[in-house]
Amino acid sequence: SKITGKGRVTHYDTELNSVRERQVAIEGQIRSGLEREEFDVWYQPIIDARSQKMVSVEALVRWPRRPEGPLPPDVFITIAETSGLIYALGQFVLRRACQDLEPYVDLKLSVNISPAQFRDPDFEAKVAGALEFSRFPATRLQLEVTETYVLENPERARSAISNLKAQGIAVALDDFGTGYSSIGYLRRFNFDTIKIDKSLAGLVDRDEQAAALVSGTVRIASALGMSVVAEGVENEKQMKLLRLAGCDQLQGFWYSQPMPIEAIRALRQQRQC
Ligand code: C2E
Ligand code: CA
Ligand code: CA
Ligand code: CA
């Protein structure tokens, strides 16, 4: 067959259509998956750098009972965001996580929030509703937001963050080191915690510049009264360097993979964390 400019355009359109078709199919699957309770919430321990004890967990959504096979969360979360299904999925995660963690009174809970969820003017009220439903204290909850959201609508972000904080909920800036955050920006939004992305924290054992950037971030955070979590800790050397750099909390496969709540309970019974 002839490969003409026109031919390529046609081919490209076909590919675009099939991407779009796949998205529409997954949208339908998410919708029925929510009805059929195919989603689960797993938890990854967050460890205090000094005591090396589990002090918190991050809730991460899973879709183990998808009939068509497994799909990673960043893929279906993106599709849930563009289709508006993130409101229902996000509320499911928040409620389930609060219910699951409620009995573990010494553990805090950190939940990821999509930029799209913040666009909902009732978002803060829905969070309050989830807390009430599960009798989960606001002071044990932290929400993780990304820069994308905060930069997209700074005024709404500021008011949402201050409304949440007025309820006693902490707010963390997720994926720090992947965007453009400045000191002024950190100050303006008054985050409680900065989470250093694994693409930066995971380099400290190989890259002196990365290690210096982590130490610098810790100094800035401490001057602003914010705590620092390093994610993506995969080996002992990284753990030691991140501790030395002054990170308050550590998270990563070296400590633990994300796991179901039953496994968190078993881990605590073994008193290994
Ligand atoms: P994230 O919020 O940055 O979550 C951390 C991701 O890093 C998780 O991937 C976790 O399993 C993974 N991880 C943890 N420790 C290590 C490590 O040592 N090395 C490496 N290479 N990876 C590690 P996961 O569960 O696949 O989630 C991917 C992303 O999907 C999350 O990134 C978050 O952006 C999104 N996501 C997951 N669950 C939710 C949710 O309930 N709501 C929303 N809005 N987004 C979610
Ligand atoms: Ca996160
Ligand atoms: Ca992250
Ligand atoms: Ca992320």
Coordinates of all heavy atoms in Angstrom, one line a residue, residues 95-185:
R95 N -14.1 6.8 52.0 CA -15.0 6.2 53.0 C -14.4 4.8 53.4 O -14.3 4.5 54.6 CB -16.4 5.9 52.4 CG -17.3 7.1 52.4 CD -18.6 6.6 52.0 NE -19.7 7.6 52.2 CZ -20.9 7.3 52.6 NH1 -21.2 6.1 52.8 NH2 -21.8 8.3 52.8
R96 N -13.9 4.0 52.4 CA -13.4 2.7 52.7 C -12.1 2.8 53.6 O -12.0 2.1 54.6 CB -13.1 2.0 51.4 CG -12.3 0.7 51.6 CD -13.1 -0.4 52.4 NE -14.4 -0.7 51.9 CZ -14.5 -1.6 50.8 NH1 -13.5 -2.2 50.3 NH2 -15.7 -1.9 50.4
A97 N -11.3 3.8 53.2 CA -10.0 3.9 54.0 C -10.3 4.4 55.4 O -9.7 3.9 56.4 CB -9.1 4.9 53.2
C98 N -11.2 5.3 55.6 CA -11.6 5.8 56.9 C -12.1 4.6 57.8 O -11.8 4.5 58.9 CB -12.5 7.0 56.9 SG -11.8 8.5 56.3
Q99 N -13.0 3.8 57.1 CA -13.6 2.7 57.8 C -12.5 1.7 58.2 O -12.5 1.2 59.4 CB -14.6 1.9 56.9 CG -16.0 2.5 56.9 CD -16.8 1.7 55.9 OE1 -16.5 1.8 54.7 NE2 -17.8 1.0 56.3
D100 N -11.6 1.4 57.3 CA -10.6 0.4 57.5 C -9.6 0.8 58.6 O -9.2 0.0 59.4 CB -9.8 0.1 56.3 CG -10.5 -0.9 55.3 OD1 -11.6 -1.4 55.7 OD2 -10.0 -1.0 54.2
L101 N -9.3 2.1 58.6 CA -8.2 2.6 59.6 C -8.8 3.0 60.9 O -8.0 3.1 61.9 CB -7.5 3.7 58.9 CG -6.2 3.4 58.2 CD1 -5.2 2.8 59.2 CD2 -6.4 2.4 57.1
E102 N -10.1 3.1 61.0 CA -10.7 3.7 62.2 C -10.2 2.9 63.5 O -9.9 3.6 64.5 CB -12.3 3.6 62.1 CG -13.0 4.4 63.1 CD -13.3 3.6 64.4 OE1 -13.4 2.3 64.3 OE2 -13.3 4.1 65.5
P103 N -10.2 1.6 63.5 CA -9.8 0.9 64.7 C -8.3 1.1 65.1 O -7.9 0.9 66.3 CB -10.0 -0.6 64.4 CG -10.8 -0.6 63.2 CD -10.5 0.6 62.4
Y104 N -7.4 1.5 64.2 CA -6.0 1.6 64.5 C -5.7 3.0 65.0 O -5.1 3.9 64.2 CB -5.2 1.2 63.3 CG -5.5 -0.2 62.8 CD1 -6.5 -0.4 61.8 CD2 -4.9 -1.2 63.4 CE1 -6.8 -1.7 61.4 CE2 -5.2 -2.5 63.0 CZ -6.2 -2.7 62.0 OH -6.5 -4.0 61.6
V105 N -6.0 3.3 66.2 CA -6.0 4.7 66.7 C -4.7 5.4 66.7 O -4.6 6.6 66.7 CB -6.6 4.8 68.1 CG1 -8.1 4.4 68.1 CG2 -5.9 3.8 69.1
D106 N -3.6 4.6 66.7 CA -2.3 5.3 66.6 C -1.7 5.4 65.2 O -0.6 5.9 65.0 CB -1.3 4.4 67.5 CG -1.2 3.0 67.0 OD1 -2.2 2.5 66.5 OD2 -0.1 2.4 67.2
L107 N -2.5 5.1 64.2 CA -2.1 5.3 62.8 C -2.8 6.4 62.2 O -4.1 6.6 62.3 CB -2.3 4.0 62.0 CG -1.5 2.8 62.2 CD1 -1.8 1.7 61.2 CD2 0.0 3.1 62.1
K108 N -2.1 7.2 61.4 CA -2.7 8.3 60.6 C -3.0 7.7 59.2 O -2.5 6.6 58.8 CB -1.8 9.5 60.5 CG -1.6 10.1 61.9 CD -1.3 11.6 61.8 CE -1.3 12.2 63.2 NZ -1.2 13.6 63.2
L109 N -3.8 8.4 58.4 CA -4.2 7.9 57.1 C -4.0 9.1 56.1 O -4.4 10.2 56.3 CB -5.7 7.6 57.2 CG -6.4 7.4 55.8 CD1 -5.8 6.2 55.1 CD2 -7.9 7.2 56.0
S110 N -3.4 8.7 55.0 CA -3.1 9.7 53.9 C -3.8 9.2 52.7 O -3.7 8.1 52.2 CB -1.6 9.9 53.7 OG -1.3 11.1 53.1
V111 N -4.7 10.1 52.1 CA -5.5 9.7 50.9 C -5.2 10.6 49.8 O -5.2 11.9 49.9 CB -7.0 9.7 51.3 CG1 -7.9 9.4 50.1 CG2 -7.3 8.8 52.4
N112 N -5.0 10.1 48.6 CA -4.7 10.9 47.4 C -6.0 11.5 46.9 O -7.0 10.8 46.8 CB -4.1 10.0 46.3 CG -2.8 9.5 46.6 OD1 -1.8 10.2 46.6 ND2 -2.7 8.2 47.0
I113 N -5.9 12.7 46.5 CA -7.1 13.4 46.0 C -6.7 14.0 44.6 O -5.7 14.6 44.4 CB -7.5 14.6 46.9 CG1 -7.8 14.1 48.3 CG2 -8.6 15.4 46.3 CD1 -9.0 13.2 48.4
S114 N -7.6 13.7 43.6 CA -7.3 14.1 42.2 C -7.7 15.6 42.1 O -8.6 16.1 42.7 CB -8.2 13.4 41.2 OG -7.8 12.1 41.1
P115 N -7.0 16.3 41.2 CA -7.3 17.7 40.9 C -8.8 17.8 40.6 O -9.4 18.8 41.1 CB -6.5 18.0 39.7 CG -5.3 17.0 39.7 CD -5.8 15.8 40.5
A116 N -9.3 16.9 39.9 CA -10.8 17.0 39.5 C -11.7 17.0 40.7 O -12.7 17.7 40.7 CB -11.1 15.9 38.6
Q117 N -11.3 16.3 41.7 CA -12.2 16.2 42.9 C -12.3 17.6 43.6 O -13.4 17.9 44.2 CB -11.7 15.2 43.9 CG -11.9 13.8 43.5 CD -11.2 12.8 44.5 OE1 -10.1 12.5 44.3 NE2 -11.9 12.4 45.5
F118 N -11.2 18.4 43.6 CA -11.2 19.7 44.2 C -12.1 20.7 43.4 O -12.5 21.7 43.9 CB -9.8 20.2 44.2 CG -9.1 19.9 45.5 CD1 -8.3 18.9 45.6 CD2 -9.4 20.7 46.6 CE1 -7.6 18.6 46.8 CE2 -8.7 20.4 47.8 CZ -7.8 19.4 47.9
R119 N -12.4 20.3 42.1 CA -13.3 21.2 41.3 C -14.7 21.2 41.9 O -15.5 22.1 41.6 CB -13.2 20.9 39.9 CG -12.0 21.5 39.2 CD -12.0 21.1 37.7 NE -10.6 20.8 37.3 CZ -10.3 19.7 36.7 NH1 -11.2 18.8 36.3 NH2 -9.0 19.5 36.4
D120 N -15.0 20.1 42.6 CA -16.3 20.0 43.1 C -16.5 21.0 44.3 O -15.8 20.9 45.3 CB -16.5 18.5 43.7 CG -17.8 18.2 44.3 OD1 -18.6 19.1 44.4 OD2 -18.0 17.1 44.8
P121 N -17.5 21.9 44.2 CA -17.6 22.9 45.2 C -18.0 22.3 46.6 O -17.9 22.9 47.6 CB -18.7 23.8 44.7 CG -19.4 23.2 43.5 CD -18.4 22.1 43.0
D122 N -18.6 21.0 46.5 CA -19.0 20.4 47.7 C -17.9 19.5 48.3 O -18.2 18.7 49.2 CB -20.3 19.5 47.5 CG -21.5 20.4 47.2 OD1 -21.5 21.5 47.7 OD2 -22.4 19.9 46.4
F123 N -16.7 19.6 47.8 CA -15.7 18.6 48.1 C -15.4 18.6 49.7 O -15.5 17.5 50.3 CB -14.3 18.9 47.4 CG -13.2 18.0 47.8 CD1 -13.2 16.7 47.5 CD2 -12.2 18.5 48.6 CE1 -12.2 15.8 47.9 CE2 -11.2 17.7 49.0 CZ -11.2 16.3 48.7
E124 N -15.3 19.7 50.3 CA -15.0 19.8 51.7 C -16.1 19.1 52.5 O -15.9 18.4 53.5 CB -14.7 21.2 52.2 CG -13.5 21.8 51.6 CD -13.7 22.8 50.5 OE1 -14.3 22.3 49.5 OE2 -13.4 23.9 50.5
A125 N -17.4 19.4 52.1 CA -18.5 18.9 52.7 C -18.6 17.3 52.6 O -18.9 16.6 53.5 CB -19.8 19.5 52.2
K126 N -18.2 16.8 51.4 CA -18.1 15.4 51.2 C -17.1 14.7 52.1 O -17.3 13.6 52.6 CB -17.9 15.1 49.7 CG -19.1 15.3 48.9 CD -18.8 14.9 47.4 CE -20.1 15.2 46.6 NZ -19.7 15.2 45.1
V127 N -15.9 15.4 52.2 CA -14.9 14.8 53.1 C -15.4 14.8 54.6 O -15.3 13.8 55.2 CB -13.6 15.7 53.1 CG1 -12.6 15.2 54.1 CG2 -13.0 15.7 51.7
A128 N -16.1 15.9 55.0 CA -16.7 15.9 56.3 C -17.7 14.8 56.5 O -17.8 14.1 57.5 CB -17.3 17.2 56.6
G129 N -18.5 14.5 55.4 CA -19.5 13.4 55.4 C -18.8 12.1 55.6 O -19.3 11.2 56.3
A130 N -17.7 11.8 54.8 CA -17.0 10.5 54.9 C -16.5 10.3 56.3 O -16.5 9.2 56.9 CB -15.9 10.5 53.9
L131 N -16.0 11.4 57.0 CA -15.4 11.3 58.3 C -16.5 10.9 59.3 O -16.4 10.1 60.2 CB -14.8 12.6 58.7 CG -13.5 12.9 58.0 CD1 -13.0 14.3 58.5 CD2 -12.4 11.9 58.3
E132 N -17.7 11.6 59.1 CA -18.8 11.4 60.0 C -19.3 10.0 59.9 O -19.5 9.3 60.9 CB -19.9 12.4 59.7 CG -20.8 12.7 60.8 CD -21.8 13.8 60.4 OE1 -21.4 14.7 59.6 OE2 -22.9 13.7 60.9
F133 N -19.5 9.5 58.6 CA -20.0 8.2 58.3 C -19.1 7.1 59.0 O -19.7 6.1 59.5 CB -19.9 8.0 56.8 CG -20.2 6.6 56.3 CD1 -21.5 6.1 56.2 CD2 -19.1 5.8 55.9 CE1 -21.7 4.9 55.7 CE2 -19.4 4.5 55.5 CZ -20.7 4.1 55.3
S134 N -17.8 7.3 59.0 CA -16.9 6.2 59.6 C -16.5 6.6 61.0 O -15.6 5.8 61.5 CB -15.7 6.1 58.6 OG -15.1 7.3 58.4
R135 N -16.9 7.7 61.5 CA -16.5 8.1 62.9 C -15.0 8.2 63.0 O -14.4 7.8 64.0 CB -17.0 7.2 64.0 CG -18.5 7.1 63.9 CD -19.0 6.0 64.9 NE -20.5 6.2 65.1 CZ -21.0 7.1 66.0 NH1 -20.2 7.8 66.7 NH2 -22.3 7.2 66.1
F136 N -14.4 8.7 61.9 CA -12.9 8.8 61.8 C -12.5 10.2 62.2 O -13.1 11.2 61.6 CB -12.5 8.5 60.4 CG -11.0 8.3 60.3 CD1 -10.4 7.0 60.5 CD2 -10.2 9.3 59.9 CE1 -9.0 6.9 60.4 CE2 -8.8 9.1 59.8 CZ -8.2 7.9 60.0
P137 N -11.6 10.4 63.1 CA -11.3 11.8 63.5 C -10.5 12.5 62.5 O -9.5 12.0 61.9 CB -10.4 11.6 64.8 CG -10.1 10.1 64.9 CD -10.9 9.4 63.9
A138 N -10.9 13.8 62.2 CA -10.3 14.6 61.2 C -8.8 14.7 61.4 O -8.0 14.8 60.5 CB -11.0 16.0 61.2
T139 N -8.4 14.8 62.7 CA -7.0 15.0 63.0 C -6.1 13.8 62.6 O -4.9 13.9 62.7 CB -6.8 15.3 64.5 OG1 -7.5 14.3 65.2 CG2 -7.3 16.7 64.8
R140 N -6.7 12.7 62.3 CA -5.9 11.5 61.8 C -5.8 11.5 60.3 O -5.2 10.6 59.7 CB -6.4 10.2 62.4 CG -6.1 9.9 63.8 CD -6.8 8.7 64.3 NE -6.5 7.5 63.6 CZ -7.3 6.4 63.5 NH1 -8.4 6.4 64.3 NH2 -7.0 5.4 62.8
L141 N -6.5 12.4 59.6 CA -6.6 12.3 58.1 C -5.6 13.4 57.5 O -5.6 14.5 57.9 CB -8.0 12.6 57.7 CG -8.2 12.5 56.2 CD1 -8.0 11.1 55.6 CD2 -9.7 13.0 55.8
Q142 N -5.0 12.9 56.4 CA -4.2 13.8 55.6 C -4.6 13.6 54.1 O -4.8 12.5 53.7 CB -2.7 13.5 55.8 CG -1.8 14.3 54.8 CD -0.3 14.2 55.2 OE1 0.1 15.0 55.9 NE2 0.4 13.2 54.6
L143 N -4.8 14.7 53.4 CA -5.1 14.6 52.0 C -3.8 14.9 51.2 O -3.1 15.9 51.5 CB -6.2 15.4 51.6 CG -7.6 15.1 52.4 CD1 -8.7 16.1 51.9 CD2 -8.0 13.7 52.2
E144 N -3.5 14.2 50.1 CA -2.3 14.4 49.3 C -2.8 15.1 48.0 O -3.6 14.5 47.3 CB -1.6 13.1 49.0 CG -1.1 12.4 50.2 CD -0.2 11.2 49.9 OE1 0.2 11.0 48.8 OE2 0.2 10.6 50.9
V145 N -2.3 16.3 47.7 CA -2.7 16.9 46.5 C -1.4 17.2 45.6 O -0.3 17.2 46.2 CB -3.4 18.3 46.7 CG1 -4.6 18.1 47.6 CG2 -2.5 19.3 47.3
T146 N -1.6 17.3 44.3 CA -0.4 17.6 43.5 C -0.5 19.0 43.0 O -1.5 19.7 43.1 CB -0.5 16.7 42.2 OG1 -1.7 16.9 41.5 CG2 -0.3 15.2 42.6
E147 N 0.7 19.4 42.6 CA 0.9 20.8 42.1 C 0.0 21.2 41.0 O -0.5 22.3 40.9 CB 2.3 20.8 41.6 CG 3.0 22.1 41.7 CD 4.5 21.9 41.3 OE1 4.7 21.3 40.2 OE2 5.3 22.3 42.1
T148 N -0.3 20.2 40.1 CA -1.1 20.4 38.9 C -2.4 21.1 39.4 O -2.8 22.1 38.8 CB -1.6 19.1 38.3 OG1 -0.7 18.1 38.7 CG2 -1.8 19.2 36.9
Y149 N -3.0 20.6 40.5 CA -4.3 21.1 41.0 C -4.1 22.5 41.5 O -4.8 23.4 41.2 CB -4.8 20.2 42.1 CG -5.8 20.9 42.9 CD1 -7.0 21.4 42.3 CD2 -5.5 21.2 44.2 CE1 -7.8 22.2 43.1 CE2 -6.4 22.0 45.0 CZ -7.5 22.5 44.4 OH -8.3 23.2 45.2
V150 N -3.1 22.6 42.3 CA -2.9 23.9 43.0 C -2.6 25.0 42.0 O -3.1 26.2 42.2 CB -1.8 23.8 44.1 CG1 -1.8 25.0 44.9 CG2 -2.0 22.6 45.0
L151 N -1.9 24.7 41.0 CA -1.5 25.8 40.0 C -2.7 26.1 39.1 O -2.9 27.2 38.6 CB -0.3 25.3 39.2 CG 1.0 25.3 39.9 CD1 2.1 24.8 39.0 CD2 1.3 26.6 40.5
E152 N -3.6 25.1 38.9 CA -4.7 25.2 38.0 C -5.7 26.2 38.5 O -6.2 27.0 37.7 CB -5.3 23.8 37.9 CG -6.5 23.7 37.0 CD -7.1 22.2 37.1 OE1 -6.5 21.4 36.5 OE2 -8.0 22.0 37.9
N153 N -5.9 26.2 39.8 CA -6.9 27.2 40.3 C -6.5 27.6 41.7 O -7.0 27.1 42.7 CB -8.3 26.5 40.3 CG -9.4 27.4 40.6 OD1 -9.2 28.5 41.1 ND2 -10.6 27.0 40.3
P154 N -5.5 28.5 41.7 CA -4.9 28.9 43.0 C -5.9 29.4 44.1 O -5.8 29.1 45.2 CB -3.9 30.0 42.7 CG -3.9 30.1 41.2 CD -4.9 29.2 40.6
E155 N -6.9 30.1 43.6 CA -7.9 30.7 44.6 C -8.7 29.6 45.3 O -8.9 29.6 46.5 CB -8.8 31.8 43.9 CG -8.1 33.1 43.9 CD -7.2 33.4 45.1 OE1 -7.8 33.4 46.2 OE2 -6.0 33.6 45.0
R156 N -9.2 28.7 44.4 CA -10.0 27.6 45.0 C -9.1 26.7 45.8 O -9.5 26.3 46.9 CB -10.6 26.8 43.8 CG -11.2 25.5 44.1 CD -12.6 25.6 44.9 NE -13.0 24.3 45.2 CZ -13.4 23.9 46.5 NH1 -13.3 24.8 47.4 NH2 -13.7 22.7 46.7
A157 N -7.9 26.5 45.4 CA -6.9 25.7 46.2 C -6.7 26.3 47.6 O -6.8 25.6 48.6 CB -5.6 25.6 45.4
R158 N -6.5 27.6 47.6 CA -6.3 28.3 48.9 C -7.4 28.1 49.8 O -7.3 27.8 51.0 CB -6.0 29.7 48.7 CG -4.5 30.1 48.6 CD -4.3 31.5 48.1 NE -4.6 32.4 49.2 CZ -3.7 33.0 50.0 NH1 -2.4 32.7 49.8 NH2 -4.0 33.8 50.9
S159 N -8.7 28.3 49.3 CA -9.8 28.3 50.2 C -10.1 26.8 50.5 O -10.4 26.6 51.7 CB -11.0 29.0 49.5 OG -11.7 28.1 48.6
A160 N -9.9 25.9 49.6 CA -10.2 24.5 50.0 C -9.2 24.0 51.0 O -9.6 23.4 52.0 CB -10.0 23.6 48.7
I161 N -7.9 24.4 50.9 CA -6.9 24.0 51.8 C -7.2 24.6 53.2 O -7.1 23.9 54.2 CB -5.5 24.3 51.3 CG1 -5.1 23.4 50.1 CG2 -4.4 24.1 52.4 CD1 -3.8 23.7 49.4
S162 N -7.6 25.9 53.2 CA -7.8 26.4 54.5 C -9.1 25.9 55.2 O -9.2 25.7 56.4 CB -7.8 28.0 54.5 OG -8.9 28.5 53.8
N163 N -10.1 25.6 54.3 CA -11.3 24.9 54.9 C -11.0 23.5 55.5 O -11.5 23.2 56.5 CB -12.4 24.7 53.8 CG -13.0 26.1 53.3 OD1 -12.9 27.1 54.0 ND2 -13.6 26.1 52.2
L164 N -10.2 22.8 54.8 CA -9.8 21.4 55.3 C -9.1 21.6 56.6 O -9.3 20.8 57.5 CB -9.0 20.7 54.2 CG -9.8 20.3 53.0 CD1 -8.8 19.9 51.8 CD2 -10.8 19.1 53.2
K165 N -8.1 22.5 56.6 CA -7.3 22.7 57.8 C -8.1 23.1 59.0 O -7.9 22.7 60.1 CB -6.1 23.6 57.5 CG -5.2 23.0 56.5 CD -3.9 23.8 56.3 CE -3.1 23.7 57.5 NZ -1.6 23.9 57.1
A166 N -9.2 23.9 58.7 CA -10.1 24.4 59.7 C -10.8 23.2 60.3 O -11.2 23.2 61.5 CB -11.1 25.4 59.2
Q167 N -11.1 22.1 59.5 CA -11.7 20.9 60.0 C -10.7 20.0 60.8 O -11.1 19.0 61.4 CB -12.2 20.0 58.9 CG -13.4 20.6 58.1 CD -13.9 19.6 57.0 OE1 -14.0 18.4 57.3 NE2 -14.1 20.1 55.8
G168 N -9.4 20.4 60.8 CA -8.4 19.6 61.5 C -7.7 18.6 60.6 O -6.8 17.8 61.0
I169 N -8.0 18.7 59.3 CA -7.3 17.8 58.3 C -6.0 18.3 57.8 O -5.9 19.5 57.6 CB -8.3 17.5 57.1 CG1 -9.6 16.9 57.6 CG2 -7.7 16.7 56.0 CD1 -10.8 17.0 56.6
A170 N -5.0 17.5 57.7 CA -3.7 17.9 57.2 C -3.7 17.8 55.7 O -4.4 17.0 55.1 CB -2.6 17.1 57.8
V171 N -2.9 18.7 55.0 CA -2.7 18.6 53.6 C -1.3 18.5 53.2 O -0.4 19.2 53.7 CB -3.3 19.9 52.9 CG1 -3.2 19.8 51.4 CG2 -4.8 20.1 53.4
A172 N -1.0 17.5 52.3 CA 0.4 17.3 51.9 C 0.5 17.6 50.4 O -0.4 17.4 49.6 CB 0.7 15.8 52.1
L173 N 1.7 18.1 50.0 CA 2.0 18.3 48.6 C 2.7 17.1 48.1 O 3.8 16.7 48.6 CB 2.9 19.6 48.4 CG 3.3 19.8 47.0 CD1 2.1 20.2 46.1 CD2 4.3 21.0 46.9
D174 N 2.0 16.4 47.2 CA 2.5 15.1 46.7 C 3.5 15.3 45.5 O 3.4 16.4 44.9 CB 1.3 14.2 46.2 CG 1.6 12.7 46.2 OD1 2.8 12.3 46.5 OD2 0.7 12.0 45.8
D175 N 4.3 14.4 45.2 CA 5.2 14.3 44.0 C 6.1 15.6 43.9 O 6.4 16.0 42.8 CB 4.3 14.3 42.7 CG 3.5 13.0 42.7 OD1 3.8 12.1 43.5 OD2 2.6 12.9 41.8
F176 N 6.6 16.1 45.1 CA 7.5 17.2 45.1 C 8.8 16.9 44.4 O 9.3 15.8 44.6 CB 7.7 17.7 46.5 CG 8.6 18.9 46.6 CD1 8.0 20.2 46.5 CD2 10.0 18.8 46.8 CE1 8.8 21.3 46.5 CE2 10.8 20.0 46.8 CZ 10.2 21.2 46.7
G177 N 9.2 17.8 43.6 CA 10.5 17.5 42.8 C 10.2 17.2 41.4 O 11.1 17.1 40.6
T178 N 8.9 17.0 41.0 CA 8.6 16.7 39.6 C 8.1 17.9 38.9 O 7.9 17.9 37.7 CB 7.6 15.6 39.5 OG1 6.4 16.0 40.2 CG2 8.1 14.3 40.1
G179 N 7.8 19.0 39.6 CA 7.2 20.1 39.0 C 8.0 21.4 39.2 O 9.2 21.3 39.1
Y180 N 7.4 22.5 39.5 CA 8.1 23.8 39.5 C 7.9 24.5 40.8 O 8.1 25.7 40.9 CB 7.5 24.7 38.4 CG 7.6 24.0 37.0 CD1 6.6 23.3 36.5 CD2 8.8 24.1 36.3 CE1 6.7 22.7 35.2 CE2 8.9 23.5 35.0 CZ 7.8 22.8 34.5 OH 7.9 22.2 33.3
S181 N 7.5 23.8 41.9 CA 7.3 24.5 43.1 C 8.4 25.4 43.6 O 9.6 25.0 43.6 CB 7.1 23.4 44.3 OG 6.1 22.5 43.9
S182 N 8.0 26.6 44.0 CA 9.0 27.5 44.5 C 8.7 27.7 46.0 O 7.7 27.2 46.5 CB 8.8 28.9 43.9 OG 7.5 29.4 44.2
I183 N 9.7 28.4 46.7 CA 9.5 28.6 48.1 C 8.2 29.4 48.4 O 7.4 29.1 49.3 CB 10.7 29.3 48.7 CG1 11.9 28.3 48.6 CG2 10.5 29.6 50.2 CD1 13.2 28.9 49.1
G184 N 8.0 30.4 47.5 CA 6.9 31.3 47.7 C 5.6 30.5 47.6 O 4.6 30.8 48.3
Y185 N 5.6 29.6 46.7 CA 4.4 28.7 46.4 C 4.1 27.9 47.7 O 3.0 27.8 48.1 CB 4.8 27.9 45.2 CG 3.9 26.8 44.9 CD1 2.8 26.9 44.1 CD2 4.2 25.5 45.4 CE1 2.0 25.9 43.8 CE2 3.4 24.4 45.1 CZ 2.3 24.6 44.3 OH 1.5 23.6 44.0

